[in-house]
Amino acid sequence: MSTLSKSASSSSEEDAELRRGPWTLEEDTLLIHYIASHGEGRWNLLAKCSGLRRTGKSCRLRWLNYLKPDVKRGNLTPQEQLLILELHSKWGNRWSKIAQHLPGRTDNEIKNYWRTRVQKQARHLKIDSNSRAFQDVIRCVWMPRLLQKIEGSSSTSSTTSQVSIIPQSLNHADSQQHSAPPPPPVGAQTPVQGPLSTNETINNLEHNEKNSSSENCTSPSICSSESMNISQISQIPDYPTSPFQVMSNSDDYSTLLKGYYNVDNSTYEMETFNLASMSAPQGDFENPVGDCPMVESNWVDSDLADSLWNMDELWQFWKLQEGGPRLF
DNA sequence: AACCCCCCCAACCGCGAAGCG
DNA sequence: TCGCTTCGCGGTTGGGGGGGT
């Protein structure tokens, strides 16, 4: 991909000057300043008037996916991953719709997560990631592990690693009390659906589904209303920060940007699991895998190898699914 | 040190929907 | 209703970085 202008064969002079590829700090600053003054929207006009030699589309994407103050960066929390798995089972590749329920996360980010993490596991297992079999794997292996993680983290209430990348609160009422310093202009704020607690999210999903008969359900087994009672999941902790909030004492966009670029460049933690390290989710919540034999069988306590699937045991699970009667 | 390979993710593209005169 | 512009979504690409040899 060329980061420079289009070839001279471009039809218009303007096109020939258009920049492509990675954004520079100067471009980001320019875009932020422009939006601070004029607000979002009218992207083509913005592109022309701001002095950026970018397409309106490119400006919009850069703003929405990267520069917008409430965009979270960094690892997806187990709660967020769980939500993604659940919502994808309901809606399929409706990334923007899924993203609406993960405040601060962009459709692009979720899509990337799905492709790089989830589909990779499907490839390893040689299963179609859209197949019901793989959804069973997700439901019986992945989700319980996430639930376990969520439970674990809520019981210890420890903050382990994600300091600079802690996502914004799912409880918007709280997060809004933080004074995010150079607030984007009022006019720039699109009416964003307030972030929801997981409870609210799922409740709303159920409500929305009633009003959305056109929505596809890719997995009847998972779409059943009792597939997951997430309202039983431990309360998601409040996340304190967006990049803007991190630098709450600065009202200088340049300073902000510098900090912005340093906020986090960590990579996502691979939320994959060693089956041998899993134990059945505990507590009295209605877990989504109560009838899953793998969960009921011997779960060995072990904290090692969180980073990889235990492929042998996954294969066991996979063969069980292939040969035996449907579990769900 | 050099090379290769793989993974991640920012950015691009095409297309359909929505808005508007 | 039509045509044009703008917006937004989902799929795809490729650069860069990290790990392995």
Side-chain angles (χ1 to χ4, degrees):
Chain A
M1 180 194 315
S2 168
T3 62
L4 300 176
S5 60
K6 274 185 167 179
S7 73
S9 62
S10 262
S11 55
S12 78
E13 202 171 302
E14 279 184 9
D15 281 352
E17 292 177 357
L18 284 179
R19 279 182 50 80
R20 292 169 186 278
W23 281 64
T24 64
L25 186 60
E26 290 73 20
E27 288 177 309
D28 283 345
T29 307
L30 204 53
L31 181 56
I32 289 176
H33 271 119
Y34 188 90
I35 290 177
S37 305
H38 300 90
E40 295 179 42
R42 308 283 301 182
W43 295 106
N44 285 339
L45 186 66
L46 179 154
K48 285 178 184 171
C49 300
S50 65
L52 287 163
R53 297 207 300 274
R54 296 276 183 172
T55 65
K57 244 179 160 177
S58 181
C59 294
R60 174 182 167 272
L61 210 61
R62 183 64 178 173
W63 175 252
L64 293 179
N65 285 346
Y66 201 86
L67 296 175
K68 200 172 180 181
D70 55 6
V71 170
K72 290 184 217 161
R73 315 208 59 74
N75 295 12
L76 290 164
T77 64
Q79 288 93 341
E80 289 173 316
Q81 293 177 51
L82 189 58
L83 253 184
I84 291 171
L85 297 178
E86 174 70 8
L87 297 182
H88 187 275
S89 75
K90 291 173 180 289
W91 296 328
N93 298 354
R94 302 287 301 277
W95 307 119
S96 65
K97 190 174 176 68
I98 293 171
Q100 286 174 8
H101 297 279
L102 287 119
R105 299 296 185 183
T106 67
D107 55 350
N108 208 34
E109 194 174 13
I110 293 167
K111 180 171 54 182
N112 281 333
Y113 168 75
W114 186 265
R115 292 185 59 82
T116 59
R117 316 306 158 95
V118 181
Q119 287 195 337
K120 186 170 78 176
Q121 300 302 335
R123 281 199 303 274
H124 285 168
L125 292 170
K126 296 183 169 63
I127 317 175
D128 178 2
S129 62
N130 292 320
S131 67
R132 174 151 171 191
F134 186 64
Q135 292 185 348
D136 288 347
V137 171
I138 287 175
R139 190 177 163 202
C140 285
V141 178
W142 208 319
M143 285 181 165
R145 175 59 172 165
L146 286 168
L147 284 167
Q148 188 189 13
K149 275 203 159 194
I150 293 166
E151 287 247 307
S153 65
S154 70
S155 65
T156 62
S157 72
S158 64
T159 58
T160 53
S161 60
Q162 300 175 4
V163 175
S164 65
I165 55 173
I166 296 172
Q168 244 179 345
S169 172
L170 294 184
N171 182 339
H172 201 44
D174 180 73
S175 67
Q176 282 187 326
Q177 292 174 0
H178 297 279
S179 58
V186 174
Q189 295 285 8
T190 52
V192 179
Q193 175 181 354
L196 302 171
S197 70
T198 312
N199 305 6
E200 292 166 334
T201 300
I202 297 301
N203 288 342
N204 286 357
L205 295 181
E206 289 168 359
H207 173 74
N208 289 344
E209 278 182 353
K210 291 173 187 171
N211 299 330
S212 179
S213 59
S214 64
E215 296 303 337
N216 291 329
C217 177
T218 58
S219 170
S221 68
I222 292 178
C223 288
S224 64
S225 60
E226 63 273 11
S227 67
M228 176 179 295
N229 186 346
I230 293 195
S231 66
Q232 310 277 356
I233 297 175
S234 313
Q235 277 293 339
I236 296 175
D238 285 344
Y239 309 116
T241 182
S242 73
F244 278 73
Q245 289 168 340
V246 167
M247 297 175 290
S248 58
N249 292 324
S250 169
D251 53 4
D252 177 342
Y253 272 111
S254 299
T255 306
L256 268 174
L257 270 177
K258 288 171 189 166
Y260 220 134
Y261 279 90
N262 290 328
V263 167
D264 176 56
N265 57 6
S266 66
T267 57
Y268 287 97
E269 174 189 5
M270 180 58 186
E271 232 9 291
T272 53
F273 316 109
N274 180 344
L275 284 177
S277 73
M278 297 168 63
S279 58
Q282 296 179 357
D284 56 358
F285 62 82
E286 178 187 350
N287 80 66
V289 292
D291 53 353
C292 176
M294 290 298 287
V295 173
E296 289 174 351
S297 61
N298 292 331
W299 296 90
V300 182
D301 287 337
S302 167
D303 284 331
L304 56 91
D306 244 12
S307 58
L308 291 172
W309 293 94
N310 180 322
M311 294 304 287
D312 287 344
E313 298 200 43
L314 260 186
W315 271 110
Q316 277 184 10
F317 175 80
W318 171 229
K319 286 177 179 174
L320 193 66
Q321 293 292 290
E322 255 188 333
R326 305 304 306 170
L327 295 172
F328 311 108

